[in-house]
Amino acid sequence: MALESLQSDCVSVFVLLFSALSLVLVLYKLTILIVSRKDVLRYTKAFPGPPPNFLFGNMLEFKQDGTDLDKIVDWGKQYPYAYPLWFGPSICFINAHHPDYVKSILTSTGPKDEFGYGFLESWIGGGLLLSKGQKWFRHRRLLTPGFHYDVLKPYVKLMSESAQIMLDKWEKFANTNEVFELFENVSLMTLDTILKCAFSCNSNCQTESGTNAYIKAVFELSSLINLRLRMFPYHSDLIFHLSPHGFRYRKACKVAHSHTGKQEVIQKRKAALKEDSELNRIQAKRYLDFLDILLSARDEKQQSLSVQDVQAEVDTFMFEGHDTTSSGLSFLLYCLARHPEHQRMCREEVTTVLEGKDTMEWEDLNKIPYTTMCIKESLRLYPPVPGIARKLTKPMTFSDGRTLPAGARVGTSVYALHRNSTVWENPEVFDPLRFLPENISKRSPHAFVPFSAGPRNCIGQNFAMNEMKVVIALALKRYQLIEDPAYKPNIVGRLILRSLNGIHIRIKPVDLNG
C-alpha cells in the first residue's frame, strides 16, 4: 500500500509540474505576443486601414470565394499608397499598392519575410526564393549564367515541342466545340518543358493518363500554405504539425520531392560532368540544362554548390518555373478568348513571322511586338504572383514622409498595384496599347512588376516570357480561342494566381483562307 501511495504521489507531482510548466509556457508566449502587438501598433499608427479582429486580424474578411483580391483592390481605393493587413494578433504587413511605395520596398536589399515564406522551406528548401544575406548573394551570382541567352536559346525548340503536344491533344475539343478547362492542360505542358530544360528529362507527362501526381501535390501544398497564412493557430509549427492539415502537407511534400528529390540523379550527373569538366565541351554535345549549370558553378574560391544547395535550387526552379508560368499562360489564353479583336491582330502578326513554319525559333521571339504587349497586359490584370513580402533590415522612409522601423513587415500587392486607378486609366479594361514605348515612359517603372523588381527580381523572367511567346504563337496559329460567358474564373491567390472553378474556353481550327 505504501508503494502504491508513493507512486500515486509521484504521478500527482509530475502532473502538477507539467501543468505548471505548461502554464508558464503559455504565459511566456502570451507576453511575447502582447509586447510584439504593442510594437506593431506603435509603428502602424500612421497607416489607417481596415479594422482587424484581435485573434484573426483581417483574415475573417477573406471568404476564399473569388472576391478576396477585389477586396484588396477596394481597400486600396479607401487607403491610398499602403495600409496595414493583419494576419493574427501580432503579424501585420504594411501592404503597398502604389508605385512610389513599391519602389522603396523592392529596391531595398531586405530579405523575404520569414513568416509566410518560411512555411515553404520544408517544401522547396533554402534556394534563391527563400535564402538571404551572403548565401542569397552567392547563389544569385552562381545561377545568373544559367539564364544567359546562349543557354536559353536551345530551350525555344523544347518549348515548341511541348506546346505542340498540348495543341495536338486540343484537336478533339476543336472538332467538337466542347468547352474545356485550360489550367490542367497548360500545367502539364509547362511541367513537361521544365523537366526538359532542368534535367534533359523526357517525362511523357502530357500523354500519360490520369492526374499528374506532382501537379496535384503542388496544388495541395499551395492550398495548405494559404490556409496556414489565414489561420492564426496554424502559425505555430507544432500545432500545424500535429493537425490533419499538417499530415496532408507532409504527404504532399513527399510526392513533390519524389519528382525533384532524387539525389542519385544529381550525383550521377555530377560524376558525368567530371569527365567533361568544361561547359563549352558539354554544350558541343547537347544543350546545357539547369542541372548542368548548378553542378558546374564555381565561386571565386572555386567552391561548388553542395548537393543540398543544388537540391533546393532544383525544387525552387521546378515550382517557380512550372506553376507561375502555367498561371500566366492560362490567363493569357483566357484574355485573348475574351478579346477577339486583339486575338486577331496577334494571329496576323504571328502568321506573318512564322511564314508557314510549325515551330517558333529564337530569332522569332522579338518579331511579335503586339503579341508581347498582349502578354504584358494579361500579366498586368492577372499577375501570376499576386503578392510579395519583405522584412525591413533598416528603417525606411516613404515618399509621403511616413516611416517604418527595422523589423517591420512590408508587402507589395502586385494585383492591387496593377489595378490602381490612380496609376492606370480604366484599370479593368484589357488594353495592350498601355505598353507602347511612349505610354510606358509616362509611368513609373514600378507600376508594373509581374516579375518583382530590384535586386531580388525574378531570375527566370526571360525564360517565362520566352515560353509564353512560344506557346501563344503556336496556339493562335492553329486555333481560334472563344470565350464561353457561362464560365467566369473565380480568382484566388494561393501562392500563385488560380481560379477556384478552373479557366474554361472553346476553340475551333483557324481557317487561314477565311
Side-chain angles (χ1 to χ4, degrees), residues 43-49 76 78-84 94-98 100-101 104 392 395-405 410:
Y43 69 70
T44 57
K45 271 185 181 179
F47 296 87
Q78 190 175 350
Y79 306 107
Y81 291 92
Y83 56 86
I94 297 300
N95 196 41
H97 55 89
H98 189 279
D100 292 350
Y101 266 54
S104 298
L392 300 185
M396 179 173 287
T397 301
F398 294 102
S399 56
D400 59 1
R402 291 186 288 186
T403 62
L404 288 173
V410 290

Side-chain angles (χ1 to χ4, degrees), residues 165-400:
I165 294 170
M166 180 183 73
L167 298 173
D168 287 344
K169 288 166 59 180
W170 285 9
E171 282 188 8
K172 60 183 177 183
F173 303 120
N175 295 330
T176 60
N177 198 35
E178 178 186 348
V179 176
F180 69 102
E181 202 282 316
L182 277 174
F183 206 104
E184 186 176 352
N185 281 266
V186 175
S187 290
L188 284 169
M189 186 272 301
T190 58
L191 178 60
D192 191 18
T193 297
I194 210 74
L195 287 170
K196 290 173 181 174
C197 297
F199 303 115
S200 301
C201 171
N202 291 304
S203 67
N204 300 317
C205 64
Q206 293 198 74
T207 53
E208 292 172 345
S209 60
T211 303
N212 181 273
Y214 178 76
I215 289 175
K216 187 178 178 182
V218 168
F219 183 84
E220 173 86 333
L221 289 164
S222 300
S223 297
L224 290 170
I225 289 169
N226 179 61
L227 181 67
R228 282 197 77 177
L229 289 168
R230 292 185 291 110
M231 284 189 64
F232 158 62
Y234 278 178
H235 295 174
S236 162
D237 289 338
L238 178 62
I239 293 174
F240 183 72
H241 184 85
L242 295 174
S243 73
H245 291 110
F247 175 78
R248 283 170 50 190
Y249 177 85
R250 292 190 296 278
K251 185 178 177 182
C253 261
K254 285 181 182 178
V255 175
H257 290 156
S258 72
H259 282 69
T260 64
K262 296 175 181 174
Q263 291 199 5
E264 63 269 22
V265 174
I266 296 173
Q267 296 283 17
K268 188 176 179 181
R269 179 71 68 85
K270 195 171 187 177
L273 286 174
K274 283 181 180 177
E275 298 176 12
D276 278 315
S277 57
E278 294 181 20
L279 283 182
N280 56 359
R281 286 169 59 189
I282 302 165
Q283 204 165 9
K285 298 178 182 179
R286 58 171 172 82
Y287 66 87
L288 295 177
D289 61 27
F290 187 59
L291 194 51
D292 290 325
I293 301 295
L294 288 173
L295 293 173
S296 303
R298 298 288 185 276
D299 61 19
E300 63 277 3
K301 297 179 181 177
Q302 292 302 302
Q303 295 295 308
S304 62
L305 295 170
S306 69
V307 171
Q308 289 74 22
D309 285 340
V310 170
Q311 184 65 66
E313 298 300 352
V314 165
D315 285 334
T316 301
F317 187 60
M318 279 285 290
F319 166 62
E320 293 203 272
H322 144 251
D323 217 26
T324 55
T325 311
S326 61
S327 173
L329 267 169
S330 297
F331 282 107
L332 171 61
L333 290 160
Y334 173 72
C335 281
L336 292 181
R338 288 194 68 197
H339 301 283
E341 69 281 13
H342 297 299
Q343 181 186 156
R344 177 182 54 79
M345 293 179 71
C346 290
R347 182 176 293 106
E348 290 173 356
E349 180 179 69
V350 165
T351 303
T352 300
V353 169
L354 291 181
E355 296 179 327
K357 293 183 298 186
D358 290 326
T359 185
M360 283 284 280
E361 295 175 0
W362 175 262
E363 292 74 19
D364 300 325
L365 296 177
N366 292 324
K367 297 178 182 177
I368 48 172
Y370 195 83
T371 304
T372 303
M373 289 194 293
C374 286
I375 293 172
K376 290 180 178 179
E377 179 65 348
S378 176
L379 291 173
R380 181 187 71 82
L381 284 168
Y382 303 103
V385 180
I388 305 165
R390 298 281 176 84
K391 191 169 188 178
L392 300 185
T393 54
K394 55 186 178 182
M396 179 173 287
T397 301
F398 294 102
S399 56
D400 59 1

Side-chain angles (χ1 to χ4, degrees), residues 6-207:
L6 181 61
Q7 287 175 334
S8 177
D9 289 344
C10 287
V11 169
S12 298
V13 170
F14 178 78
V15 170
L16 199 63
L17 282 172
F18 181 78
S19 300
L21 284 171
S22 298
L23 182 61
V24 169
L25 183 62
V26 169
L27 290 173
Y28 172 71
K29 288 284 188 181
L30 189 61
T31 302
I32 290 176
L33 188 149
I34 291 170
V35 170
S36 177
R37 180 177 175 83
K38 281 184 178 179
D39 287 342
V40 175
L41 285 170
R42 191 180 303 116
Y43 69 70
T44 57
K45 271 185 181 179
F47 296 87
N53 173 278
F54 177 81
L55 278 181
F56 294 95
N58 301 114
M59 296 301 101
L60 296 178
E61 299 276 353
F62 298 131
K63 309 302 181 187
Q64 294 294 295
D65 59 357
T67 63
D68 296 345
L69 288 168
D70 292 331
K71 190 179 294 292
I72 293 285
V73 174
D74 290 342
W75 281 340
K77 294 173 183 175
Q78 190 175 350
Y79 306 107
Y81 291 92
Y83 56 86
L85 193 59
W86 290 81
F87 286 77
S90 61
I91 302 291
C92 179
F93 288 81
I94 297 300
N95 196 41
H97 55 89
H98 189 279
D100 292 350
Y101 266 54
V102 171
K103 178 182 179 181
S104 298
I105 294 168
L106 296 186
T107 55
S108 73
T109 55
K112 300 289 178 70
D113 179 69
E114 78 283 352
F115 163 64
Y117 288 101
F119 297 157
L120 285 154
E121 189 162 1
S122 57
W123 170 16
I124 62 173
L128 269 187
L129 181 65
L130 303 185
S131 59
K132 57 186 177 181
Q134 283 303 308
K135 180 181 178 181
W136 172 84
F137 185 76
R138 177 176 181 259
H139 282 216
R140 178 82 182 206
R141 193 170 68 249
L142 290 176
L143 266 62
T144 296
F147 296 91
H148 189 270
Y149 71 88
D150 281 339
V151 175
L152 296 179
K153 193 172 180 179
Y155 292 173
V156 173
K157 181 175 180 287
L158 304 176
M159 293 168 179
S160 294
E161 290 172 358
S162 296
Q164 291 291 13
I165 294 170
M166 180 183 73
L167 298 173
D168 287 344
K169 288 166 59 180
W170 285 9
E171 282 188 8
K172 60 183 177 183
F173 303 120
N175 295 330
T176 60
N177 198 35
E178 178 186 348
V179 176
F180 69 102
E181 202 282 316
L182 277 174
F183 206 104
E184 186 176 352
N185 281 266
V186 175
S187 290
L188 284 169
M189 186 272 301
T190 58
L191 178 60
D192 191 18
T193 297
I194 210 74
L195 287 170
K196 290 173 181 174
C197 297
F199 303 115
S200 301
C201 171
N202 291 304
S203 67
N204 300 317
C205 64
Q206 293 198 74
T207 53

Side-chain angles (χ1 to χ4, degrees), residues 181 183 219 331 488-492 496-504:
E181 202 282 316
F183 206 104
F219 183 84
F331 282 107
K488 296 285 185 185
N490 290 328
I491 300 168
V492 291
I496 67 157
L497 203 69
R498 299 183 185 275
S499 170
L500 288 171
N501 57 335
I503 303 174
H504 296 78

